[in-house]
Amino acid sequence: MSYNIAVIPGDGIGPEIVREAQKVLDAAGKKYGFELKYTEVLMGGASIDVHGVPLTDEAIATAKASDAVLMGSIGGDAKTSPWYKLAPNLRPEAGLLKIRKELNLFANLRPAYLYEELKEACPLRDDIIGDGFDMMIMRELTGGLYFGERHTTEENGVRKAVDTLSYDENEIRRIAVRGFDIARKRRHKVTSVDKANVLDSSRLWRSVVEDVAKDYPDVTLEHMLVDNCAMQLVRDPKQFDVILTENMFGDILSDEASMVTGSIGMLSSASLNETKFGLYEPSHGSAPDIAGKDLANPIATILSAAMMLRFSLDLDEAADAIEAAVKQVLKDGYRTGDIMSEGCTKVGTVQMGDLIAERV
Ligand SMILES: NC(=O)c1ccc[n+]([C@@H]2O[C@H](COP(=O)([O-])OP(=O)(O)OC[C@H]3O[C@@H](n4cnc5c(N)ncnc54)[C@H](O)[C@@H]3O)[C@@H](O)[C@H]2O)c1
Ligand SMILES: CC(C)[C@H](C(=O)O)[C@@H](O)C(=O)O
Ligand SMILES: [Mg+2]
């Protein structure tokens, strides 16, 4: 079998980590008898450099025509990047938001799982870690503050900026259904996170989620305010199975959750629409501080590639093999700098990719 994959290397560490993911995918293809045909697509700063915009219509068309999209990360260094001096719509990040909207990728799955082997890299106390934890953050990805009306004005020399947080019930229902469906395949618990003590949009969120829950009597639903959730994530992460939340809260909570799994370099993600199509990218950014130095952890991207095989291409066996290879490399004591602990062997981005590909 052969599949068409649009590849967006992006900016900063993006090209480095995507290269390693492709290496691992190709090893899996060889072993399990499939071929991935890659078409490179420019997005973010890489696209601004060439086309003057962060995402072209042609790039969107290429992504749409593919079986799935594999992405590195986009974004520049605010201190050195010329993009930041340009108009806001020329920001590299605008390309990412545009592709999410254009492809209707409303469901963002961010699994935060503590590998047995990475307990040493987890900043939490042993009694909090216990037997480890395993949660799925279900982040709504095409609504809320990111896509609400916004403008900046100036009146009498005073500048004012407005962002709008808006959701309609259909947007909430479809992500809630995804969350409950996933909970059914896991430990049957959904924690819906909102700010219903303040925000109207959160009160609507809570009411729609409760409605959806009626169709899932086998799944326990609890509501949690977002500030409490941020605290509970470090106090007792074991309590969470599926965290269901809106766009901005999910962005912030997933970075926090990543750190309790050892590093942001471990957190993969899948962004899905109503079909089998998806965009797969690590949850972290372009890390300009370590770009081009062979320091980036490619595991989040490699695990995202495994999700691509599983969700979009139905290549479950190959996905299992990649996940097992990651676990084995960690068991064998290899670590990139971000997850390094005593007694382990420090490796760079490329060697980590080689080691995982070998074990596939
Ligand atoms: N999905 C995306 O493409 C995405 C996500 C987040 C941020 N960004 C963009 O990335 C740029 C930098 O943002 P930031 O610095 O706030 O966040 P970041 O995630 O890029 O980096 C935060 C910190 O984590 C470290 N880090 C990130 N990924 C790592 C990896 N794989 N291995 C080892 N260390 C890693 C970085 O070195 C840095 O110290 C910004 O332009 C931002 O908008 C893009
Ligand atoms: C780069 C940025 C727009 C993006 C987001 O906020 O969604 C990133 O932080 C992420 O988590 O994918
Ligand atoms: Mg983020």
Side-chain angles (χ1 to χ4, degrees):
M1 273 303 267
S2 158
Y3 303 90
N4 294 317
I5 308 298
V7 178
I8 305 175
D11 309 317
I13 60 171
E16 299 169 56
I17 52 181
V18 157
R19 206 174 298 132
E20 298 316 306
Q22 286 178 271
K23 187 189 281 176
V24 171
L25 283 169
D26 292 341
K30 222 174 245 171
K31 169 117 191 247
Y32 293 95
F34 61 88
E35 189 196 353
L36 302 183
K37 291 191 181 134
Y38 304 109
T39 308
E40 194 173 306
V41 171
L42 295 180
M43 193 168 93
S47 173
I48 295 177
D49 286 344
V50 177
H51 301 295
V53 289
L55 186 70
T56 61
D57 291 345
E58 293 72 47
I60 296 172
T62 305
K64 275 188 180 159
S66 65
D67 294 302
V69 182
L70 178 67
M71 191 190 127
S73 50
I74 51 93
D77 184 341
K79 286 194 258 2
T80 59
S81 159
W83 312 310
Y84 279 84
K85 297 185 187 72
L86 301 171
N89 62 354
L90 274 181
R91 287 260 179 85
E93 289 78 2
L96 182 56
L97 300 191
K98 189 167 179 187
I99 202 167
R100 287 175 179 169
K101 195 69 170 181
E102 288 281 338
L103 304 178
N104 195 26
L105 305 171
F106 66 89
N108 184 218
L109 279 65
R110 298 189 162 185
Y113 166 84
L114 179 66
Y115 282 86
E116 170 84 35
E117 295 74 19
L118 287 190
K119 280 188 176 170
E120 297 292 309
C122 174
L124 303 179
R125 287 198 316 262
D126 284 349
D127 62 311
I128 294 177
I129 297 174
D131 296 330
F133 45 82
D134 175 3
M135 67 191 108
M136 178 66 85
I137 298 181
M138 258 295 203
R139 170 188 177 195
E140 201 291 326
L141 202 60
T142 52
L145 270 177
Y146 283 61
F147 295 95
E149 242 173 73
R150 67 170 60 132
H151 60 262
T152 306
T153 52
E154 186 170 336
E155 220 174 289
N156 302 327
V158 179
R159 288 173 300 157
K160 182 177 167 185
V162 177
D163 294 291
T164 318
L165 203 181
S166 125
Y167 272 107
D168 72 39
E169 58 183 315
N170 297 326
E171 290 174 307
I172 301 170
R173 191 169 298 109
R174 64 183 183 176
I175 187 76
V177 166
R178 277 293 172 92
F180 279 92
D181 282 344
I182 287 205
R184 241 181 201 166
K185 295 189 194 131
R186 295 172 49 96
R187 302 194 307 280
H188 295 248
K189 182 178 171 190
V190 169
T191 305
S192 174
V193 175
D194 61 36
K195 189 73 184 173
N197 52 347
V198 178
L199 303 174
D200 272 17
S201 56
S202 281
R203 283 192 275 274
L204 179 64
W205 180 278
R206 206 174 263 220
S207 130
V208 174
V209 169
E210 268 170 12
D211 232 32
V212 170
K214 291 182 190 139
D215 293 333
Y216 298 83
D218 52 320
V219 177
T220 306
L221 168 66
E222 70 174 12
H223 299 284
M224 193 177 277
L225 297 172
V226 63
D227 44 354
N228 183 27
C229 182
M231 185 274 280
Q232 295 293 341
L233 269 172
V234 288
R235 192 192 75 89
D236 179 23
K238 287 194 297 295
Q239 70 184 286
F240 296 111
D241 179 12
V242 174
I243 291 180
L244 171 66
T245 193
E246 65 92 47
N247 203 342
M248 175 81 132
F249 297 159
D251 179 41
I252 298 168
L253 294 176
S254 58
D255 262 37
E256 188 186 356
S258 78
M259 202 53 221
V260 300
T261 70
S263 164
I264 184 94
M266 296 297 297
L267 202 78
S268 57
S269 97
S271 306
L272 309 171
N273 59 23
E274 305 277 14
T275 70
K276 286 173 69 69
F277 182 85
L279 180 149
Y280 301 84
E281 55 161 329
S283 298
H284 60 72
S286 56
D289 53 334
I290 57 167
K293 297 179 181 157
D294 195 40
L295 290 175
N297 184 349
I299 293 182
T301 317
I302 290 168
L303 292 174
S304 304
M307 286 171 98
M308 176 180 88
L309 297 184
R310 194 183 301 288
F311 295 146
S312 286
L313 310 182
D314 285 325
L315 295 165
D316 286 33
E317 226 186 331
D320 289 346
I322 293 177
E323 287 164 3
V326 168
K327 199 169 163 55
Q328 190 59 48
V329 163
L330 297 175
K331 203 172 247 166
D332 294 342
Y334 296 104
R335 303 280 188 276
T336 43
D338 57 315
I339 49 172
M340 185 63 189
S341 44
E342 226 185 287
C344 294
T345 311
K346 197 164 171 179
V347 297
T349 312
V350 175
Q351 200 185 342
M352 183 54 99
D354 287 341
L355 290 163
I356 295 169
E358 269 166 28
R359 282 157 183 76
V360 166

